[in-house]
Amino acid sequence: MSVNQQAHTGPPYGQPQPAYQRYQQPGYGGQQMPGVPHSQYGVYNGPMPGYQQPAPPQGPLRTPPTSGAPPPTSGALLPVGQPAYNQFGQGDVQNGIPASAVQMQRPSVSQPFIPGSTPTSISQLSSFQQYGPSPTGAQQLTNHMAGMTIGSVPTSAAPPAGVGYGPSTSVPPASGSFTATGSGLYTPYSSSQGPRPGVPLAQPAFSGPPLSMQRLPSQGSGAPRPSTMQSPPLSGQALAGLPASQPNHLASPPPPQQAMSGPHPGPPMTGLQGPPPPSTHPSQPGYQIQQNGSFGQVRGPQPNYGGAYPGTSNYGSQPGPPPPPKRLDPDSIPSPIQVIEDDRNNRGSEPFVTGVRGQVPPLVTTNFLVKDQGNASPRYIRCTSYNIPCTSDMAKQSQVPLAAVIKPLAMLPTEETPPYLVDHGESGPIRCNRCKAYMCPFMQFIEGGRRFQCCFCSCVTEVPPHYFQHLDHTGKRVDFYDRPELSLGSYEFLATVDYCKNNKFPDPPAFIFMIDVSYNAVKSGLVRLICEELKSLLDYLPRGGNLEESAIRVGFVTYNKVLHFYNVKSSLAQPQMMVVSDVADMFVPLLDGFLVNVNESRAVITSLLDQIPEMFADTRETEMVFAPVIQAGLDALKAAECAGKLFIFHTSLPIAEAPGKLKNRDDKKLINTDKEKTLFQPQTNFYSNLAKDCVAQGCCVDLFLFPNQYLDVATLGVVTYQTGGSIYKYSYFQLETDQERFLNDLRRDVQKEVGFDAVMRVRTSTGIRATDFFGAFYMSNTTDVELAGLDCDKTITVEFKHDDKLSEDSGALLQCALLYTSSAGQRRLRIHNLSLNCCTQLADLYRNCETDTLINYLAKYAYRGVLNNPVKTVRDALINQCAQILACYRKNCASPSSAGQLILPECMKLLPVYLNCVLKSDVLQPGPEVSTDDRAYIRQLVTSMDVAETNVFFYPRLLPLTKVDVDNDALPAAIRNSEERLSKGDMYLLENGLNIFVWVGVNVQQGLIQNLFGVSSFSQISNTMSTLPILENPFSKKVRSIMDMLQAQRSRYMKLIIVKQEDKFEMLFKHFLVEDKSMSGGASYVDFLCHMHKEIRQLLS
Ligand SMILES: [Zn+2]
C-alpha cells in the first residue's frame, strides 16, 4: 500500500524503524557474554525482572501487549480545568526544592546579560581602524544592548509558528509571475468568479434519518575528557591538517599578494566571463562586496538595496578617503562546506559513544551512530557548549548563551536502540526525595546501597526495599548493567496512576478531522482530495505500543460558517449529519457515534468520505468560522475524556460572525517601523485563551492552511503553537502541483508518533537553572513546559543561567523528564540525562562550543524578540552579542597578534556566516516578495526546529547535479551558496528543508536536459512542474533518488521549484544564495565578516 510506504519515509535516514531489540539474548543478568566485546557498560543480555519490554515507537513488527494496557476507565466525567496530576510529586512540598527562597526570587525568564560586565579596556589590541568609521563605540553598543527587552518576553505569551515559505507561498497558481503574494488586500468574497455572499448552504440530503438536534448539557467544559578528543587549539591558529583555504585566522586586509589580490581564483567552474568587477563598492570602502562571478551580470553596487549591514546604517559611509580598492577573497574565509566536510571525514566513521562527560558530538551534518553509555544521544539533546563556565561572571564575560536544544521524542536510525521501558510496578520510578529527580546513572549509592545521594541537589534518599541491591568493590550496584536507569542516558518509566490526571489512567487519544467545505475548498478539489486520502490513511494511525491496531478513535466535522458533525457509529447503515449553526455557543450535538474505532465503523466512514465532496459540490459559501471549530473539537475530547489531535484543513480568514472573528489587518508598510512587531502578534487574545483550554485537555491542534490571500497566520496559529501542533501552508493550492506535497505532509503528520497531554521539566545541578524556553508549548509557571501534544519532530530549546557556582570536579548535569500519554493511551515518563564539564578557563568554553546549536538558539531568541521589539533592535542585539562572544575570545584566549587580524575560535569560525544568514532571513529582513503570513509562518516553524533543520534552513545545501556519479550512492560534494560558484553549464540542486530548487544554467548540455526533463532544449523546460518526469536513464534515476533521499531526511515534504537561469523565477532562487548580498539589503558574507571584525575591534579598543 502506497500510504504505508510513504508513511515510513518519515523516520530520519529514510529507513523504517527496526523491530524493537529486546532483552532476549541468553545469558542475561549482567554477565559478560562470551564473545561480546567488553565495553564500559556491557550489554543487556536478556529480560530483566521488572523491565517491561518497551514498545517500539513504530514499525511493522508488533505483538499484542502482555501488560501495561490501560485499565478500564470509569464513566465519571472529568472535571474541567486543573489537572490533578503532577509529574513532580503530590503537592507543592515535593515539587522541586522545597521552600527555596532563592528560587522564588529568580526571574521567570532570562535576562539579557549585562554587557557592561564585559571588559572595556583591552590592552592587547590597538585601535586599528581601517574599515571605516567607529561611530558606535563599544559603550554605545553596550547601552543599546542593555536597553533591549528581548529577554523579557514572557514565555507563556510565546507566539505561534508558521507554514508556507518563500516561493511556495508567493507563487501564484496560474500566472508565472512571482510578484503576487499572499498578502494582497483582503476582499471578503475573494475572487471575481466567487459565489455571492449570503447564499444559503444547500443542505445535502442524507439517506439516513438525521438525528434530532438536541442540545446536550455542557460536558464541563564523570570522566575526564580523553586526550584523544579532538579539541581545536587554544589559539586561533589554523589547525594542522586543515586545508589552507580554511583559516580561522584571517588577516584582514591581507597583503595584496594574498587574499585580496587580483581576480578571484575561486570559482570552480568558469563559464562566461562577466564584465570586470567594479573596483570599489560605494558603500563599502576597502572591500569589494562581491567578486563578479563566472557568469551572469555584474554584481557590483546595488544602490537600491538597503543599508549595507543590518544594524549599521552608517557603516561604510565615514568621511575620509577610502582605502585603495581591495577585496577579501571568499576562498580565504571560513567555508561551511569545508567545515562540514572535515567533520564528516574526522568523525563520521566511528560511533559516538556517550560514556564521557562533556564530549562534543559530531556536527548534525555528519552521519554517525550513537552508543548510549550514560548520556543522552545528541539526537535528543545538543548544547551550545559542553564545557560551561563555573561562575556567572565568566558566563557573562563570554556572552556565550548556555542552552540545550532538546528533542525528547526524536526518532532514531534503525541501527540505534530506542529507549528501554522500565516498569517499577505500583511504586513507580525511584526519585530524589527533595528535588524529585529521577533515578539516573549519576546518582551515588552509599551505605552499602541502602541510600543514594542525589546528583542534582545532594539530598540523601532511602532506597526502597524492593529496589535495594548490593554494591561492588567500586561502589557500583551489582545490577548496574541490567538497569537502564543506572547505566543509560535515555530510558522510559511506565508511569503510575499518580502521574495521571485525576488519578485515573488515560483513555487512548482521539483524532478529529475538521474539513473546510467552503466554495474555495470544494472548487480547488481539496475537499475531495482529503476525503479520498483519509479513506486509506485511517488504516495507518499510530499504534504507539504493542497493539495490532491503533487505539486511536476518529471523528469528522465539516464546516463553513456553521459546523456539521457526523455520526459514524458502526451500527448505522449511513452516516448522519448534525448541523450546529449557533457558533457563538458551540456544543457537540452527539457523543455516541462521533468518536469511533476505524475498523468497527469502516463502512460508515467510507460512505461519509464518499458523500462529503458530493454534499458540498454546489456550495457557494465563502464566509468561514475558525475558533468555533477548535472549540467543537475541544469539547468533543472533553466529552470523551481523552486527549487528542485536531486536524483542521482551512482556507481563509475567518470573517463570519462568530467568536474569534478576524479582520484583515495586513500592512506591509509597517515593515521597518516600530509597529512591525504587530504583524507577528495575534490580533486578539481570544485564541490564547482557547489555547489554554486546549492544553488543559491535551487537545493538540494541527493546521493545514490553503490560502489564496492573507489569512493572518499570526493569529490563526496561536492555538497550534501553544498546543505543540504543526502548521502547514500551501498558498494558492493547486491540485496538480501541490497535491503530492500536501498528501505526503498529511500522511506523515497523521502517522507520526505523538506524546499527548505532556509535561516536560528540566532539572539541573545546583549552580545552574533552566530560565527560558523556546518552542511550541504553553507554560503556566516558570518551570513546567506543558504540551497538549509533542511529536517526534518538535524541539524545545532551553536556556540556562547560573544561580551559584559550579565545580570543575562535579561538572553540571541536566535531566529532562517528559511525562506523556502514548498513542496507545499508556502514561510514560521519558528521561534524558546529560553531563557537561565545567571550566574556570574561558579557553575551555570556546573549545567545546557548537556553533550549529548556538545558531539554533540565537535564531529562536531573535524570532521571539520581534514580537516585542523593532526588528532592527533585534538584529543589532544579535550582532552585538556575537561580537562580544568573539571579542572575549580574542581578548582572553587568542595568542597576541595584530589587531588587524580577525581571529575566530575554531569551534565558532562559522558563527559570522551563519549569523548573517539569520540576520537576513525573511523574518528579520524580508524581501519584497515575502508576505506577512510567510513571515509569521516561518517564525513559528523555526521555533520548533532542531539543530539539523535550522542548519540547512539558514545555510541551504547546494549540490552540483552534473557532478553526480550515477554508479555511486554518494552525493556530489556540496558547494558554497554563492552565485559565483555556479556555472552556466551546470545544474544545481538547492534544498533548505522547505523547498528544493533545481537551477538550470543556460549552457547546460542538451543531452542532460533531455535526460532529466524529457525535453529537447533549455527553452522547453517548464518551470511549473512539481516533480521531475520519471525517465529511464541513469542520470534521471540518480537525481530522483537524491531527491527522495533528501525528502526522507526532512520532516516536511519539500516543494520542487525548477529555476532556469535568467528566468523570472531566478530571483527566488538567488534569495537562497546566502553568501551573496540579498535583495532585501542583507549583507554578503564577505561584507558581514568585515563588519563583525570592525565590531569586535571596537569592543576591544
Ligand atoms: Zn535531588
Side-chain angles (χ1 to χ4, degrees):
M1 186 105 194
S2 65
V3 169
N4 198 25
Q5 289 160 354
Q6 286 294 348
H8 293 290
T9 60
Y13 318 100
Q15 290 160 22
Q17 281 287 332
Y20 194 73
Q21 178 182 337
R22 296 181 175 132
Y23 302 143
Q24 284 170 350
Q25 297 107 323
Y28 92 99
Q31 308 300 321
Q32 188 68 31
M33 289 277 289
V36 174
H38 178 76
S39 70
Q40 187 184 350
Y41 292 90
V43 292
Y44 288 106
N45 288 327
M48 182 60 199
Y51 284 15
Q52 173 162 343
Q53 291 184 345
Q58 79 173 54
L61 301 182
R62 300 171 203 229
T63 53
T66 53
S67 68
T73 58
S74 78
L77 286 178
L78 272 180
V80 177
Q82 295 302 321
Y85 67 90
N86 185 342
Q87 174 192 180
F88 311 104
Q90 290 82 38
D92 289 337
V93 177
Q94 297 183 339
N95 195 357
I97 300 170
S100 165
V102 175
Q103 197 161 15
M104 297 298 285
Q105 288 161 357
R106 289 169 198 147
S108 61
V109 293
S110 72
Q111 303 294 326
F113 283 127
I114 305 305
S117 64
T118 304
T120 49
S121 63
I122 295 171
S123 57
Q124 180 182 345
L125 298 163
S126 71
S127 55
F128 181 65
Q129 294 288 331
Q130 176 164 348
Y131 304 109
S134 56
T136 53
Q139 193 55 49
Q140 198 174 332
L141 285 170
T142 295
N143 293 340
H144 193 53
M145 181 75 181
M148 287 282 299
T149 56
I150 296 177
S152 62
V153 180
T155 52
S156 60
V163 187
Y165 177 67
S168 63
T169 56
S170 58
V171 183
S175 87
S177 160
F178 56 78
T179 53
T181 70
S183 60
L185 283 183
Y186 179 80
T187 49
Y189 306 103
S190 54
S191 57
S192 54
Q193 75 273 34
R196 289 164 288 123
V199 176
L201 173 66
Q203 278 299 336
F206 258 98
S207 52
L211 281 196
S212 60
M213 201 76 68
Q214 196 171 5
R215 179 66 193 246
L216 300 178
S218 168
Q219 292 300 328
S221 329
R225 226 174 46 225
S227 57
T228 55
M229 196 170 137
Q230 300 198 351
S231 306
L234 176 57
S235 82
Q237 302 298 329
L239 258 182
L242 273 184
S245 64
Q246 287 307 304
N248 57 338
H249 190 146
L250 170 67
S252 61
Q257 276 71 31
Q258 291 180 0
M260 290 189 180
S261 64
H264 172 51
M269 300 287 291
T270 46
L272 290 187
Q273 202 65 33
S279 57
T280 43
H281 188 281
S283 68
Q284 199 203 6
Y287 284 113
Q288 178 182 327
I289 293 278
Q290 282 291 329
Q291 158 81 2
N292 184 37
S294 52
F295 80 94
Q297 73 270 37
V298 182
R299 287 175 304 131
Q302 300 179 62
N304 288 337
Y305 290 174
Y309 298 108
T312 52
S313 54
N314 58 349
Y315 178 73
S317 60
Q318 86 287 12
K326 291 171 182 169
R327 66 177 301 276
L328 194 56
D329 179 357
D331 281 340
S332 71
I333 59 181
S335 156
I337 304 302
Q338 193 64 53
V339 170
I340 288 169
E341 198 68 17
D342 291 346
D343 194 73
R344 274 191 192 137
N345 293 336
N346 294 332
R347 306 199 63 184
S349 51
E350 301 219 335
F352 180 68
V353 181
T354 72
V356 179
R357 186 175 87 187
Q359 231 183 158
V360 184
L363 298 181
V364 286
T365 41
T366 298
N367 285 326
F368 60 99
L369 280 182
V370 181
K371 285 192 176 160
D372 184 342
Q373 290 196 353
N375 283 288
S377 161
R379 304 190 205 286
Y380 296 122
I381 308 181
R382 278 186 177 265
C383 294
T384 52
S385 177
Y386 291 80
N387 197 331
I388 62 183
C390 281
T391 67
S392 152
D393 283 350
M394 235 177 108
K396 285 177 182 166
Q397 187 185 356
S398 74
Q399 287 283 312
V400 176
L402 305 176
V405 180
I406 307 177
K407 196 176 187 182
L409 298 178
M411 303 281 281
L412 302 181
T414 50
E415 299 87 344
E416 295 176 15
T417 312
Y420 292 98
L421 181 60
V422 180
D423 183 1
H424 283 320
E426 286 182 5
S427 56
I430 313 294
R431 304 173 69 176
C432 166
N433 266 347
R434 182 161 65 180
C435 73
K436 296 293 161 193
Y438 295 84
M439 181 53 63
C440 72
F442 308 109
M443 297 289 188
Q444 191 74 43
F445 286 87
I446 55 176
E447 296 176 24
R450 281 178 288 116
R451 309 170 91 191
F452 68 91
Q453 182 165 32
C454 178
C455 50
F456 296 95
C457 73
S458 300
C459 175
V460 173
T461 300
E462 296 278 341
V463 174
H466 70 269
Y467 196 70
F468 174 81
Q469 188 54 270
H470 293 287
L471 308 182
D472 68 12
H473 65 284
T474 65
K476 193 184 278 183
R477 281 172 61 122
V478 299
D479 61 352
F480 180 85
Y481 295 114
D482 305 319
R483 291 193 177 272
E485 76 275 19
L486 297 181
S487 50
L488 295 179
S490 301
Y491 42 88
E492 293 202 324
F493 289 116
L494 202 57
T496 64
V497 75
D498 293 338
Y499 295 83
C500 301
K501 259 181 196 167
N502 305 317
N503 281 322
K504 175 179 163 298
F505 282 111
D507 274 350
F511 283 1
I512 304 177
F513 298 91
M514 315 182 88
I515 305 166
D516 175 335
V517 288
S518 65
Y519 174 81
N520 282 332
V522 172
K523 181 167 165 280
S524 66
L526 181 63
V527 172
R528 183 174 299 277
L529 181 67
I530 294 169
C531 290
E532 279 303 312
E533 180 64 24
L534 285 181
K535 280 191 223 167
S536 49
L537 186 54
L538 293 178
D539 287 333
Y540 298 93
L541 300 176
R543 289 175 284 183
N546 308 340
L547 306 179
E548 283 189 343
E549 72 174 47
S550 176
I552 291 172
R553 289 167 293 166
V554 298
F556 303 90
V557 171
T558 55
Y559 67 97
N560 37 52
K561 68 182 182 186
V562 299
L563 275 72
H564 324 104
F565 294 81
Y566 298 94
N567 185 342
V568 284
K569 197 174 177 177
S570 59
S571 57
L572 294 175
Q574 284 291 325
Q576 297 172 346
M577 173 201 255
M578 272 143 282
V579 181
V580 175
S581 51
D582 182 8
V583 291
D585 192 11
M586 186 44 61
F587 67 100
V588 180
L590 77 165
L591 295 180
D592 188 31
F594 179 66
L595 292 178
V596 297
N597 174 288
V598 173
N599 282 338
E600 288 169 10
S601 290
R602 179 176 305 278
V604 194
I605 291 173
T606 302
S607 171
L608 171 68
L609 294 170
D610 281 337
Q611 290 181 49
I612 285 175
E614 308 305 326
M615 283 191 287
F616 299 100
D618 300 322
T619 185
R620 291 167 173 274
E621 188 58 74
T622 56
E623 279 196 37
M624 301 303 295
V625 298
F626 183 70
V629 180
I630 298 176
Q631 186 70 52
L634 170 61
D635 287 351
L637 294 179
K638 275 184 187 171
E641 300 180 59
C642 65
K645 191 145 128 174
L646 312 183
F647 298 82
I648 303 181
F649 306 90
H650 189 80
T651 58
S652 57
L653 194 71
I655 53 163
E657 202 53 56
K661 172 184 174 180
L662 300 178
K663 59 180 188 291
N664 187 339
R665 45 99 187 221
D666 187 20
D667 186 359
K668 287 184 102 175
K669 289 196 293 294
L670 298 182
I671 292 173
N672 291 324
T673 71
D674 282 354
K675 287 189 175 167
E676 184 171 1
K677 62 191 175 194
T678 61
L679 297 175
F680 297 109
Q681 296 166 344
Q683 61 173 287
T684 159
N685 64 7
F686 182 88
Y687 288 94
S688 310
N689 294 330
L690 185 54
K692 209 166 145 184
D693 293 343
C694 287
V695 172
Q697 182 60 37
C699 170
C700 177
V701 178
D702 280 1
L703 199 47
F704 293 82
L705 297 172
F706 306 87
N708 288 335
Q709 51 202 328
Y710 178 74
L711 52 51
D712 203 344
V713 170
T715 306
L716 293 191
V718 165
V719 178
T720 296
Y721 183 70
Q722 294 195 17
T723 60
S726 304
I727 299 188
Y728 301 84
K729 184 161 163 277
Y730 311 88
S731 298
Y732 309 104
F733 179 82
Q734 279 197 304
L735 218 50
E736 315 80 69
T737 50
D738 297 315
Q739 87 170 28
E740 187 185 355
R741 183 165 61 105
F742 162 59
L743 291 181
N744 275 287
D745 285 343
L746 177 62
R747 286 165 191 160
R748 182 180 163 93
D749 195 64
V750 166
Q751 294 176 90
K752 68 184 170 187
E753 279 301 331
V754 184
F756 291 95
D757 205 6
V759 185
M760 187 186 99
R761 183 183 277 196
V762 179
R763 290 178 174 81
T764 49
S765 308
T766 306
I768 52 166
R769 198 170 60 88
T771 53
D772 208 351
F773 302 84
F774 304 80
F777 52 73
Y778 174 78
M779 288 186 83
S780 57
N781 60 43
T782 58
T783 52
D784 297 338
V785 176
E786 297 174 44
L787 302 126
L790 175 69
D791 65 48
C792 54
D793 297 322
K794 296 283 191 313
T795 62
I796 294 127
T797 295
V798 183
E799 186 179 11
F800 303 95
K801 290 277 167 68
H802 287 77
D803 55 12
D804 205 342
K805 283 184 180 161
L806 294 163
S807 95
E808 279 182 292
D809 288 344
S810 47
L813 299 174
L814 312 179
Q815 182 178 78
C816 166
L818 178 80
L819 174 64
Y820 71 99
T821 301
S822 74
S823 350
Q826 201 173 49
R827 202 73 174 146
R828 293 180 176 193
L829 280 151
R830 180 169 288 202
I831 313 294
H832 297 297
N833 303 287
L834 186 63
S835 61
L836 304 172
N837 285 326
C838 295
C839 60
T840 54
Q841 300 297 316
L842 282 165
D844 290 329
L845 165 68
Y846 284 97
R847 261 202 295 251
N848 292 280
C849 282
E850 218 209 359
T851 296
D852 293 333
T853 308
L854 197 56
I855 287 294
N856 180 283
Y857 164 84
L858 290 172
K860 291 176 181 180
Y861 180 77
Y863 280 17
R864 189 175 69 189
V866 299
L867 263 188
N868 294 288
N869 300 275
V871 173
K872 181 179 183 305
T873 311
V874 172
R875 287 201 307 255
D876 289 352
L878 273 189
I879 292 173
N880 185 252
Q881 181 169 5
C882 290
Q884 296 210 33
I885 290 170
L886 298 174
C888 176
Y889 172 82
R890 174 64 187 258
K891 182 194 170 203
N892 297 287
C893 309
S895 49
S897 57
S898 155
Q901 287 187 312
L902 173 60
I903 302 181
L904 301 170
E906 177 66 21
C907 289
M908 290 188 186
K909 65 183 180 184
L910 298 180
L911 185 58
V913 60
Y914 287 162
L915 174 66
N916 189 37
C917 296
V918 174
L919 291 169
K920 59 200 231 180
S921 62
D922 287 336
V923 171
L924 296 183
Q925 199 165 16
E929 80 285 5
V930 180
S931 73
T932 301
D933 274 344
D934 287 342
R935 296 178 75 198
Y937 170 63
I938 294 161
R939 202 184 72 84
Q940 267 200 356
L941 218 51
V942 167
T943 303
S944 291
M945 280 184 180
D946 68 14
V947 179
E949 287 173 316
T950 49
N951 177 268
V952 79
F953 178 77
F954 288 112
Y955 194 92
R957 179 150 57 165
L958 181 59
L959 305 172
L961 286 182
T962 48
K963 303 273 192 306
V964 300
D965 179 354
V966 295
D967 300 322
N968 190 321
D969 280 346
L971 288 175
I975 59 171
R976 292 171 63 172
N977 287 326
S978 175
E979 189 173 343
E980 70 188 28
R981 311 277 170 180
L982 305 182
S983 157
K984 280 186 169 188
D986 211 339
M987 288 190 273
Y988 299 86
L989 182 153
L990 182 146
E991 63 124 356
N992 74 340
L994 297 182
N995 300 299
I996 291 184
F997 290 90
V998 173
W999 182 93
V1000 188
V1002 290
N1003 289 353
V1004 172
Q1005 286 176 21
Q1006 202 175 324
L1008 286 174
I1009 290 175
Q1010 182 71 49
N1011 280 344
L1012 193 60
F1013 299 103
V1015 296
S1016 56
S1017 71
F1018 178 83
S1019 61
Q1020 288 177 302
I1021 300 171
S1022 160
N1023 54 19
T1024 59
M1025 66 176 75
S1026 61
T1027 52
L1028 290 175
I1030 297 170
L1031 302 173
E1032 287 302 315
N1033 65 74
F1035 184 60
S1036 171
K1037 281 181 187 168
K1038 177 69 184 176
V1039 172
R1040 285 182 287 116
S1041 87
I1042 289 175
M1043 288 198 185
D1044 290 345
M1045 195 198 75
L1046 297 178
Q1047 294 282 16
Q1049 287 178 355
R1050 305 296 170 210
S1051 61
R1052 286 160 187 261
Y1053 198 82
M1054 294 183 279
K1055 178 172 183 163
L1056 176 64
I1057 300 168
I1058 308 292
V1059 174
K1060 293 153 75 176
Q1061 189 184 0
E1062 293 166 10
D1063 182 86
K1064 56 197 167 188
F1065 283 101
E1066 197 181 18
M1067 193 178 85
L1068 292 174
F1069 175 75
K1070 287 181 179 174
H1071 183 67
F1072 297 95
L1073 297 175
V1074 290
E1075 289 198 22
D1076 297 344
K1077 196 170 170 62
S1078 77
M1079 289 293 290
S1080 51
S1084 70
Y1085 175 22
V1086 169
D1087 289 350
F1088 184 71
L1089 191 63
C1090 297
H1091 176 62
M1092 282 301 287
H1093 189 192
K1094 189 191 66 143
E1095 295 278 325
I1096 292 165
R1097 282 185 298 123
Q1098 281 172 352
L1099 289 171
L1100 293 175
S1101 61

